Amino acid sequence: MADIAARLGVSKMTVSRALSRSTPQRSDASESLRQQILRTSQEMGYVMDQTARTFSSKRSGFIAALIPALNNSNFSDTAHGLTSAIESVGMQVLMGYTDYDMATEERLIRTLLSRRPEGIVVTGGSHTPVARKLLTSTGVPVVETWDLLDKPIGHNVGFSNAQAVSELVHALHAKGYRRMGFLGGLPQSDARGADRRRGFLQAMAQLGLDTSRTLAIGSAPVTMEAGARGVAKMMENWPDMDALVCVSDHVAFGALAECQRRGWSVPGRLAIAGFGGFEVAKACHPQITTVSVDSAGIGQAAGQLLLKAIGLARAGQKLAPETVFVPYQIEIRGST
C-alpha cells in the first residue's frame, strides 16, 4: 500500500479508502483518483489483506461447507447449488472434504471456524461430541443437510433417507417382489447408508416379510466393485432372493454388471434398485430403478437459508431454527 501511495504521490490512508470503498463517491475528482489507484494496484499485483477488516466489521464475506467427497456427483451438485446461492450476493464458499470420517470432520470444523466464517454448512447430523459442541457454540448460523433430523443443531435442509428407502420397498412390494435383500456398507462408516438400511428393515417388517437378507460390504463410499462382490455373495447365501435394494446407484450398477457377467437375467432372476439418481443408473441397460434426489436443490436451499440467517445476524438478530424438506422421487425403471 505504501508503494502505491509513493508512486501516485498520495497518502496511505487515501489508498486504503480507495481500495476498501465498494461504491463511487459523488465527486468526479475523487472517483477519478480512486480508479487511478485501482489501476495502479492491479499493475503492481497488490492483493488487499482482509484480516483487519474481518476483525473490525465481524464480516468475513464467506461461509464454510463440509461435504463427504467431491468425486461423488450428488455432493458436487450440492456444493454447486450452495455456491451459486452464496455467490449471488458476492460471498464466497470455503469447502472442506471429510472423506466420510467424523474425526476428519471435527478437525476441519475447528480449522474452518478459526477463519471466522459467517455461517457453516455440514452434511448429515452425525458428529463427534466435540464437533457438535463446536457447532453449537460457534455463534454463527449452522445448517445440517442431506437428512431430516429430530434434534438439529440449528437449521436443517434435506429429506429422510430411511423414509425414502421405505417407500422404495413398498413400491417394489406393489410390483410383486417379496424376498428382498439390502446391500450396503458398514453402518459405522456412513450414517446416511445406515439410515437407508434402517428404512429397508422397517418397511420389510411392516409388510411382514423376512428381514434377514442384508449384507454390509466395505466402508463408505461403497464402490461398484463392492456391489459386484456383494451381489454374488448374497445370491450364494440367499439363492431365492428376488429383488436387491442397494445403498447407492454405484453399488447397484456393480451388482447389475456382475449379474450380466454371470448370465443372471435382470429383472428376470433378480430385480435391482439403487439410490441417488446418478447418471450411471440411466446410462446402463436396463436402466436402474432408484430414489432420485435433488442434490443441487439441497445446496441451493441451504445457501438461501444461510443468507437469510446471516442477514439477520448482521442486523443483530437471530433466525429461529428452520427445517426445509427437499422432495425426492421414486423412479421405477427397467431393472425392476
Side-chain angles (χ1 to χ4, degrees), residues 164-317:
V165 170
S166 178
E167 291 180 19
L168 174 61
V169 170
H170 279 84
L172 294 176
H173 181 266
K175 291 185 68 65
Y177 297 106
R178 299 292 183 270
R179 300 179 301 279
M180 290 180 264
F182 182 86
L183 178 58
L186 298 171
Q188 63 269 29
S189 71
D190 181 12
R192 286 166 300 286
D195 283 345
R196 293 168 195 171
R197 180 180 184 274
R198 177 167 56 85
F200 171 83
L201 294 174
Q202 288 175 345
M204 293 291 283
Q206 289 169 358
L207 294 167
L209 303 177
D210 182 5
T211 61
S212 65
R213 300 180 184 88
T214 66
L215 179 65
I217 184 166
S219 298
V222 190
T223 63
M224 295 180 186
E225 189 273 334
R229 286 189 290 112
V231 71
K233 182 66 175 177
M234 294 191 76
M235 290 297 282
E236 178 184 331
N237 292 344
W238 302 286
D240 66 332
M241 186 170 62
D242 62 3
L244 177 63
V245 176
C246 297
V247 72
S248 74
D249 287 347
H250 292 113
V251 176
F253 179 84
L256 173 63
E258 183 64 19
C259 287
Q260 292 174 339
R261 278 193 293 269
R262 292 173 178 257
W264 298 341
S265 173
V266 176
R269 180 172 179 183
L270 180 68
I272 296 176
F275 193 104
F278 289 90
E279 185 178 10
V280 68
K282 271 192 173 181
C284 58
H285 181 76
Q287 293 184 339
I288 297 172
T289 289
T290 189
V291 178
S292 183
V293 180
D294 185 4
S295 307
I298 291 174
Q300 189 80 24
Q304 292 170 349
L305 181 55
L306 204 55
L307 288 177
K308 182 164 66 171
I310 290 171
L312 287 174
R314 287 179 173 182
Q317 302 175 48

Side-chain angles (χ1 to χ4, degrees), residues 53-200:
R53 184 190 296 183
T54 296
F55 277 94
S56 63
S57 68
K58 297 183 180 180
R59 297 184 183 183
S60 62
F62 78 90
I63 65 104
L66 294 176
I67 60 175
L70 189 58
N71 60 357
N72 179 310
S73 62
N74 274 356
F75 293 125
S76 62
D77 285 346
T78 298
H80 186 269
L82 173 64
T83 301
S84 65
I86 295 297
E87 289 188 344
S88 68
V89 296
M91 296 184 71
Q92 300 296 321
V93 179
L94 185 60
M95 198 78 63
Y97 311 107
T98 67
D99 198 26
Y100 295 86
D101 182 71
M102 287 199 294
T104 299
E105 182 195 58
E106 177 188 314
R107 175 177 57 81
L108 288 173
I109 288 172
R110 189 183 298 277
T111 299
L112 291 171
L113 288 178
S114 71
R115 304 285 182 178
R116 296 179 177 267
E118 296 191 61
I120 185 167
V121 176
V122 294
T123 303
S126 296
H127 317 287
T128 67
V130 172
R132 179 168 289 274
K133 186 174 182 180
L134 287 169
L135 292 171
T136 303
S137 60
T138 180
V140 301
V142 175
V143 181
E144 293 168 289
T145 62
W146 270 88
D147 210 343
L148 287 184
L149 307 172
D150 293 332
K151 296 181 179 179
I153 292 171
H155 308 291
N156 187 196
V157 175
F159 62 97
S160 170
N161 284 267
Q163 181 62 32
V165 170
S166 178
E167 291 180 19
L168 174 61
V169 170
H170 279 84
L172 294 176
H173 181 266
K175 291 185 68 65
Y177 297 106
R178 299 292 183 270
R179 300 179 301 279
M180 290 180 264
F182 182 86
L183 178 58
L186 298 171
Q188 63 269 29
S189 71
D190 181 12
R192 286 166 300 286
D195 283 345
R196 293 168 195 171
R197 180 180 184 274
R198 177 167 56 85
F200 171 83

